[in-house]
Amino acid sequence: MPTALPVLNDRFRPVERFAARPGRDYTLLPMRLISLDAGRHVLTNFAGEYVVLPKETTRRLVRHELDTASDVFEELLSRHFVSVGGSDAALDLLAVKYRTKQSLLAEFTSLFMFVVSLRCDHSCPYCQVSRQSLDRHAYDMKPDVADRAVDFMFRSPSRALKVEFQGGESLLNFPLIRRIVERVESRNLAEGRDVQFVIATNLAPLTDEMLDYCRVHEIVISTSLDGPRELHNQNRPRPGGDSHKLAVRGIRRVREALGHDSVAALMTTTAASLAQPREIVDEYVRQGFSCVFLRPLSPYGFAVKTGLARKYAADEWLEFYRAALGYIIELNLAGTPFREEYSSLILRKMLTPFPTGYVDLQSPAGLGIAGLIFNYDGDVYASDEARMLAETGDRKFRLGNLAVDSFEDVMTSDALIDVLSETMTEGVPMCVDCGFQPYCGSDPVYHHATQGDVVGFKPTSDFCRRNMGVMRHLVRLLEDDERAASVLETWI
Amino acid sequence: MIKLHARLEKRLDAEPFVARVARGRGGGRGDLREVQFVDGQDEPSPGYGGYLLAEGLEEGPWAARPDAWPIPEALGHLSDGDVVRISPRSGELWVMYRRGSTSNSMLLTERCNSYCVMCSQPPRDVADDHLVRSYLEAIPLMSRETNELGITGGEPTLLGDRLLEIIRKCRDHLPETSLHMLSNGRMFNYLSLSREVAEIGHPDLMIGVPLYSDLPHRHDFVVQADGAFDQTIRGLMNLARCGVSVEIRVVLHRQTVERLPQLARFIARNLPFADHVALMGLEMMGFVRMNLEPLWIDPADYRPQLTGAVEHLHRRGMNVSIYNHQLCVLDRGLWPFARKSISDWKNEYVDECVACAARDHCGGFFASSSLRRSSRIRPLTPDMIPPESATSPTLSATP
């Protein structure tokens, strides 16, 4: 509260005349809460703003015992957890904020992944796909399938279309990539969408001609970098054992040809990675990247099922994540700007009014309505993970096939609609009451694969445990560690 | 200060009129909507609607004409293309528009539905319909090359349809001129008014709306009107919904700086559609003079709040500026956000500024700052001046 001030000229009314009368009734606005630690709750409002309160204060709040003249009450009033009689603009603001947070839904599907070949020169044990050897052209996407996929994609109403080429190793079927790019470009002359092309590749087969083509057609590159040489090569074996060398050389060539920011890298955390958080971050810094996405291993890919890659517990990954994040924050404080992307996504959800497009943290899930994937054989899947699940024999999330199903068939299929309606965390058991609901999602493919149910049972869900761990950690840093908070604030 | 009002000889038999000033060789078009400025360099020419006689000519042959007025030396600044209103019966000349100024503003009414504790232009409940009438006459006389024109008050939205007429007139006669209106936003609580303004289709209109607190009752207190916060918030939302650009203005004083960081957070979270946020130093005019002690705070004493607010808004992608502050009272990191915002006619520098190397970068003072100004005003040395590259807003990643 303001300290006592010299009084205004008596033709003006003092502030007390405008304040809510002490002890006056207040109204609770929609909110959720979760324990942060032994003594504190995190409360989130309808639009994802949060406050951290001592648990006793929460109790007084919900019993309508808070003093409306107290600092904590003013904080809750400012952030739309409560309203007092006379002012109800909070409801309008909450409505607008909620609408803004959900605004991506109106855009509909914008990411389309084309699996142009299942062939690959690598044999990574964590591979999400049952990769095929280099000579098996039966696992290439056929031109007529690609053409149908392009037509299908343009049925989406989204103003922005992102075309991502996936594998196997996508560059092994470069002629088809060219065919798709050119068909999209010519089609887009009339459509006028905001189109972006991305090639996901291990960079090993990269040629100068491919780079020229990428430059002319403004294609950007996404590649894999798992960490320092030994770890990367161990994770990503290929004949010759030189995956790291080829990736690093490829990154350099892409930057020289297309510009520094035309290549992004993704890492997968394997059991071997868990002991090397700093080394992985250092490698990303050394290779000139400004961020790293600390991505956990999908525990249901082909190789995991076949026992080739060791699973690890959510807590092991969390320990790794916290160590890497702490190290990244120290790097920033020492003058090297560098971000961790998963944290950035969640911080944007916490600290800004805007939505983020990350598929796994949406409600309803981003399945189909954020992204779709066209398999080499024309099957349409709701996500990359849905495709990998199908490779292990479970076709639960196969939405149709380009040869027989139209965009309308696929997007209104029971396979999609039924799942989506079960992924709204606003109504999913336990999610509905969780303080982190506004930041989270409900990955149905994960829960189906690990628990046999698309909704899942949250107390034993590693998805839940991992995300709660990340979110609790970020809130604690923001609240309790001023130095860390000053860095995290710059990542939004 | 440049004088915008002056006394003339009274002429009881002539009607008030609005005219453009013609001055110098090739000035004006020689028509009845113009008054010629006669200063001894050029001979008066026939055909003008009136004549303003500079000092020294009051005894000349033209002085006897009923349409010629000797003017005081303080109006020597009048230039070709300026627009004046002459009221012969009351003997007043009012400079409505100066072509060479970057801060022309139209005060359309002195009436207001708020009663802000720091109002620099205290409202008066008077019949001032002549203001709108005069400006409707003046707008067609203004230069089409005018960069920006302001609308102010009082509260212009109280004029209803006549405000719409002014905006329409600007759209038709000054299509290349940015129009910036100051409004407390409360009347835009009515969606119909927001729609009507939007439907005019002015090519470059922005409405600057003040918001003084994240807490409804504290905003209501500053503007001394119950329910004003809700009306202003809904007004801002309505304007945004209709596609009208809005700016949020925060006047900084002792009653608003304490929660400035919370207000910045509130704006970034709730009103991210605002095209601009202006954090403004106090002008020591009007009600400030009678509420000096409860309002005054040395700007050097609210540096932490101001820096925190600017950083918060800037990081969230909001376009934020600092108005009416001297560079020597701002944290160095805030210099790129500081604008030279004080209207030229009331802009001054003080003794300390003479030796200051940053003077050309600095917005200086309101003339009214003689009442009170920061105790920390000091000349800056050349090594403190930003290189040109530092004039775009960037903040260091870490404190």
Side-chain angles (χ1 to χ4, degrees), chain B residues 152-167:
Chain B
T152 179
E155 173 50 42
T157 56
L158 296 181
L159 296 165
D161 288 347
R162 284 174 303 151
L163 171 65
L164 302 177
E165 232 182 295
I166 289 275
I167 299 173

Side-chain angles (χ1 to χ4, degrees), chain A residues 32-239:
Chain A
R32 295 181 170 88
L33 61 90
I34 188 166
S35 184
L36 178 64
D37 48 35
R40 296 179 295 174
H41 283 129
V42 184
L43 281 73
T44 50
N45 76 2
F46 195 55
E49 285 152 281
Y50 81 83
V51 287
V52 172
L53 293 184
K55 288 182 174 171
E56 180 49 33
T57 307
T58 315
R59 283 181 209 110
R60 287 172 46 220
L61 165 68
V62 299
R63 289 180 193 139
H64 294 260
E65 292 168 2
L66 274 191
D67 175 1
T68 54
S70 60
D71 286 351
V72 66
F73 185 84
E74 293 198 334
E75 208 55 25
L76 292 162
L77 186 62
S78 169
R79 297 187 194 227
H80 301 154
F81 287 83
V82 292
S83 67
V84 281
S87 173
D88 54 9
L91 296 176
D92 289 2
L93 288 169
L94 276 172
V96 169
K97 286 188 278 191
Y98 189 70
R99 186 188 154 94
T100 303
K101 279 283 182 197
Q102 308 299 330
S103 57
L104 285 181
L105 283 175
E107 279 292 304
F108 220 55
T109 319
S110 61
L111 170 64
F112 294 88
M113 289 169 281
F114 291 66
V115 180
V116 292
S117 176
L118 278 192
R119 291 182 291 133
C120 190
D121 56 329
H122 279 61
S123 50
C124 311
Y126 58 62
C127 186
Q128 304 171 346
V129 183
S130 53
R131 67 112 193 176
Q132 299 298 326
S133 57
L134 294 174
D135 54 353
R136 301 187 65 178
H137 291 273
Y139 294 93
D140 285 1
M141 183 181 271
K142 301 291 176 290
D144 63 311
V145 172
D147 292 353
R148 269 189 227 113
V150 170
D151 294 343
F152 186 99
M153 176 178 79
F154 274 103
R155 293 289 303 149
S156 169
S158 176
R159 281 170 296 185
L161 296 173
K162 186 169 175 179
V163 179
E164 186 173 311
F165 299 106
Q166 285 271 2
E169 169 45 48
S170 55
L171 291 183
L172 294 176
N173 194 3
F174 200 70
L176 191 77
I177 291 179
R178 297 173 62 140
R179 181 187 179 95
I180 293 168
V181 167
E182 281 153 40
R183 195 176 170 89
V184 169
E185 283 176 344
S186 92
R187 179 86 196 255
N188 199 42
L189 289 177
E191 294 273 356
R193 313 280 187 104
D194 175 15
V195 173
Q196 194 192 351
F197 297 105
V198 183
I199 297 177
T201 169
N202 61 41
L203 294 174
L206 183 70
T207 66
D208 288 342
E209 291 70 34
M210 292 174 183
L211 281 173
D212 268 351
Y213 188 84
C214 289
R215 188 173 41 76
V216 171
H217 295 271
E218 295 178 30
I219 302 171
V220 298
I221 303 296
S222 169
T223 193
S224 295
L225 181 65
D226 276 6
R229 189 180 65 210
E230 201 177 327
L231 175 63
H232 181 98
N233 286 339
Q234 182 189 339
N235 281 354
R236 303 179 58 79
R238 76 183 292 278

